[in-house]
């Protein structure tokens, strides 16, 4: 019997997963908060190169979840994938910290170690991201799972908040090697990632683990390809199928076809969602103007990076503050943050609940890809449109308003699927598939995909 936390229905194992996520997010955002200053002041890159590498690293961190998801669902399983990629993650942090020690080689060595460290960190953080969320969901029954994703997301925000406050203080207020202590500022996130790995391993005896089920992506791609080719080659006299994937029935099981239908329906639903992250990113980091403010002794120095424009500042001068109080921004930030919390928690839970057992991490990675494509949209608009900042804000707000209506229509016609019923149906019907009559085949092909009631959970 699974041990429960005192006074709750939560398994004790969830403590290790939540603490692991807190420490991992602390390490990631703590390191990232200093990157641009590190590029400018330590590696002595210009503003264009600094901005380009920063955004390239950020984008890579949200594309690598696909790799981690495939490894987890097809080969190692979520637990081992988290362990192995966390080790890669730790090595990346250590290499990055060593590259920030002035006495280790010349500037070329520092650049090489820094880039190698960032690549390893991107592989680690992106690879474990979909696995940790899905692995945490595996520990729960459906009734408690949605509460878990709320706690899980709270740990993400707590780790990122504390790290972005603490690590800049470590860099600016602690002196080492005759200057700002980047080695310490990067070393503390590295230590937190080691703690995250140790904590996760400490709970290994309490986790509920679902084994991987082979190279699922290759099988899915082959099934889709066979269905398309078979449909293309079919004659007009051939009987029609209810769905284009049904043309793969001659070679692939009905269960696999049904699972692919489930995943594709969710991925299609996600197509408009990158626009939300494109608008949300406007409050975090403008791809066109990245303002980095840092404190040295008694004066405040702000470096304005015009990374994607042709404006080159020739001198620094004091600018008189305007007469609009900063408190007027509080309602906007409250609304945006509230929307992001509800959006993210629902997306995490929905991606888990709508995925077949052998594709949980893959669909989590699909959800994270919406963030990556949102960043791409920001860069395209910032570089190509050449708009003033307020016009960019207005453009993204208008685009998201249009996406809101499109997604509302798509969500209305989406019917909630229960993957557990699919597992139960095929488990009970195993061994009978070949002898089923036509009516049973038709029923199994469309199980749970044609409910008359519209789900309100989405």
């Amino acid at each position: 019997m699974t041990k429960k936390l005192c006074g709750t229905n939560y398994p004790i194992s969830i403590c290790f997963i939540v603490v692991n996520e807190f420490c991992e997010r602390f390490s990631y955002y703590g390191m990232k908060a200093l990157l641009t200053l590190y590029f400018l002041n330590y590696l002595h890159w210009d503003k264009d190169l600094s901005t380009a590498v920063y955004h390239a690293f950020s984008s890579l961190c949200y594309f690598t979840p696909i790799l981690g998801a495939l490894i987890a669902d097809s080969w190692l399983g979520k637990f081992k994938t988290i362990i192995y990629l966390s080790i890669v993650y730790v090595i990346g942090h250590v290499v990055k910290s060593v590259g920030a020690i002035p006495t280790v080689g010349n500037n070329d060595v520092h650049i090489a170690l820094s880039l190698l460290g960032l690549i390893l960190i991107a592989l680690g953080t992106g690879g474990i991201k979909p696995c940790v969320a899905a692995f945490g969901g595996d520990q729960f029954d459906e009734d408690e799972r949605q509460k878990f994703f709320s706690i899980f997301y709270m740990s993400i925000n707590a780790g990122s908040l504390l790290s972005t406050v603490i690590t800049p203080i470590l860099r600016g207020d602690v002196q080492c090697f005759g200057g700002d202590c980047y080695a310490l500022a990067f070393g503390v996130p590295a230590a937190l990632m080691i703690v995250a790995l140790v904590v996760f391993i400490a709970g290994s005896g309490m986790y509920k683990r679902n084994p991987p089920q082979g190279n699922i992506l290759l099988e899915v791609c082959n099934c889709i390809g066979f269905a398309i080719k078979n449909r293309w080659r079919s004659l007009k006299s051939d009987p029609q199928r209810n769905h284009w994937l049904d043309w793969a029935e001659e070679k692939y099981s009905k269960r696999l076809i049904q699972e692919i239908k489930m995943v594709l329906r969710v991925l299609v639903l996600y197509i408009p969602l990158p626009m939300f992250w494109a608008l949300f990113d406007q409050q975090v980091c403008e791809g066109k103007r990245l303002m980095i403010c840092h404190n040295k002794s008694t004066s405040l120095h702000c470096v304005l990076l015009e990374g994607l424009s042709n404006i080159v500042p020739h001198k620094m001068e004091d600018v008189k503050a305007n007469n609009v109080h900063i408190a007027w921004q509080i309602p906007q930030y409250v609304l945006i943050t509230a929307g992001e919390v509800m959006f993210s928690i629902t997306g995490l839970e929905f991606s888990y609940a709508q995925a077949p057992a052998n594709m949980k991490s893959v669909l989590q990675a699909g959800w994270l890809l919406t963030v990556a494509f949102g960043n791409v949209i920001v860069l395209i608009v910032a570089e190509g449109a050449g708009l003033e900042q307020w016009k960019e804000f207005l453009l993204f707000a208008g685009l998201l308003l249009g996406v809101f209506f499109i997604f509302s229509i798509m969500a209305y016609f989406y019917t909630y699927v229960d993957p557990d019923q699919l597992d139960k149906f095929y488990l009970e019907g195993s061994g009978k598939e070949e002898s089923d009559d036509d009516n049973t085949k038709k029923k199994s092909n469309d199980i749970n995909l044609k409910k008359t009631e519209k789900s309100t959970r989405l």
Side-chain angles (χ1 to χ4, degrees):
M1 182 177 179
T2 304
K3 295 181 180 180
K4 303 289 185 180
L5 284 173
C6 182
T8 70
N9 288 325
Y10 289 6
I12 294 179
S13 60
I14 212 62
C15 295
F16 299 93
I17 297 175
V18 170
V19 173
N20 166 271
E21 184 66 14
F22 170 84
C23 294
E24 187 274 326
R25 290 290 85 187
F26 186 106
S27 72
Y28 173 76
Y29 282 106
M31 177 276 304
K32 192 177 179 183
L34 304 174
L35 267 186
T36 305
L37 283 176
Y38 176 75
F39 294 155
L40 287 168
N41 299 336
Y42 186 82
L43 298 182
H44 306 296
W45 289 350
D46 60 32
K47 57 186 179 297
D48 294 330
L49 180 59
S50 299
T51 304
V53 174
Y54 179 90
H55 284 294
F57 169 73
S58 300
S59 299
L60 183 60
C61 289
Y62 281 97
F63 280 108
T64 50
I66 287 292
L67 177 62
L70 296 179
I71 295 174
D73 285 343
S74 303
W75 182 26
L76 295 178
K78 301 181 191 72
F79 177 76
K80 289 184 178 180
T81 301
I82 294 171
I83 296 293
Y84 295 153
L85 289 181
S86 292
I87 294 173
V88 173
Y89 201 164
V90 169
I91 294 173
H93 270 300
V94 172
V95 171
K96 187 76 175 63
S97 301
V98 172
I101 300 176
T103 57
V104 178
N106 55 23
N107 193 56
D108 291 336
V109 174
H110 298 158
I111 292 174
L113 290 176
S114 298
L115 293 179
L116 176 60
L118 288 177
I119 292 172
L120 293 176
I121 290 171
L123 290 173
T125 187
I128 69 173
K129 198 182 295 287
C131 303
V132 175
F135 189 69
D138 289 344
Q139 313 305 309
F140 287 88
D141 297 327
E142 184 176 358
D143 295 338
E144 299 292 334
R145 189 178 297 136
Q146 194 165 21
K147 294 179 182 178
F148 158 71
F149 283 111
S150 298
I151 296 174
F152 183 80
Y153 197 69
M154 182 181 69
S155 70
I156 293 175
N157 286 286
S160 61
L161 174 64
L162 289 176
S163 66
T164 52
V165 172
I166 293 174
T167 51
I169 294 175
L170 293 175
R171 178 202 64 82
D173 293 355
V174 179
Q175 299 291 305
C176 60
F177 304 106
D180 291 341
C181 202
Y182 285 102
L184 176 64
F186 288 139
V188 170
L192 263 292
M193 192 56 222
I194 294 174
V195 172
L197 177 59
V198 171
V199 168
F200 186 76
I201 294 175
S204 58
M206 305 179 187
Y207 299 137
K208 183 192 299 181
R209 309 182 197 180
N210 295 326
Q213 301 183 20
N215 194 339
I216 188 64
L217 179 65
L218 180 61
E219 197 172 3
V220 167
C221 293
N222 289 338
C223 180
I224 292 175
F226 182 81
I228 294 173
K229 287 191 293 184
N230 200 25
R231 175 67 183 88
W232 183 262
R233 295 171 181 173
S234 64
L235 302 175
K236 292 184 178 180
S237 58
D238 291 341
Q240 295 299 309
R241 314 288 174 95
N242 292 328
H243 192 280
W244 63 269
L245 273 171
D246 293 336
W247 288 93
E249 284 183 345
E250 285 82 350
K251 186 176 180 180
Y252 295 92
S253 68
K254 291 190 288 292
R255 173 171 182 157
L256 176 63
I257 294 172
Q258 194 69 18
E259 289 172 342
I260 297 174
K261 289 180 185 179
M262 293 164 58
V263 171
L264 289 181
R265 291 171 70 244
V266 176
L267 293 179
V268 169
L269 194 66
Y270 285 172
I271 290 176
L273 300 187
M275 190 53 64
F276 174 88
W277 297 112
L279 178 60
F280 181 77
D281 275 354
Q282 301 307 300
Q283 67 164 332
V284 180
C285 173
E286 270 293 311
K288 183 177 176 182
R289 302 172 183 90
L290 180 59
M291 182 72 76
I292 305 295
C293 299
H294 57 100
N295 204 354
K296 279 189 175 180
S297 61
T298 59
S299 61
L300 186 67
H301 299 270
C302 294
V303 180
L304 181 61
L305 301 184
E306 297 287 347
L308 299 175
S309 70
N310 295 322
I311 301 175
V312 179
H314 292 283
K315 62 179 180 177
M316 300 291 293
E317 59 183 40
D318 292 331
V319 179
K320 186 177 179 181
N322 59 45
N323 57 3
V324 179
H325 199 281
I326 194 172
W328 283 105
Q329 296 187 35
I330 294 177
Q332 294 94 310
Y333 276 93
V334 169
L335 289 173
I336 292 174
T337 302
E340 192 265 344
V341 168
M342 291 186 286
F343 186 79
S344 295
I345 294 173
T346 305
L348 286 170
E349 194 272 338
F350 179 78
S351 299
Y352 182 92
Q354 292 297 276
N358 58 346
M359 300 185 198
K360 297 291 187 184
S361 298
V362 170
L363 206 49
Q364 287 287 331
W367 166 253
L368 293 171
L369 277 178
T370 63
V371 183
F373 286 115
N375 290 331
V376 172
I377 293 172
V378 172
L379 289 174
I380 292 174
V381 172
E383 183 175 10
L387 300 174
E388 296 179 45
Q389 192 170 6
W390 71 269
K391 292 181 179 179
E392 285 187 10
F393 288 163
L394 189 62
L395 172 63
F396 283 113
L399 290 174
L400 184 59
L401 181 63
V403 164
F404 163 76
F405 290 109
I406 295 172
F407 182 76
S408 298
I409 296 171
M410 296 172 68
Y412 178 79
F413 289 103
Y414 183 89
T415 51
Y416 203 85
V417 179
D418 186 357
D420 294 335
Q421 286 190 5
L422 183 68
D423 292 338
K424 184 178 179 181
F425 178 87
Y426 283 105
L427 183 63
E428 292 176 349
S430 60
K432 302 178 182 179
E433 191 172 290
E434 298 299 329
S435 60
D436 285 342
D437 57 22
D438 292 339
N439 291 331
T440 305
K441 287 182 180 179
K442 183 176 180 180
K443 178 182 177 182
S444 66
N445 281 341
D446 295 316
I447 183 173
N448 288 331
L449 295 181
K450 292 188 177 181
K451 294 180 181 179
T452 55
E453 297 180 0
K454 300 290 188 298
S455 168
T456 58
R457 294 185 62 183
L458 180 59

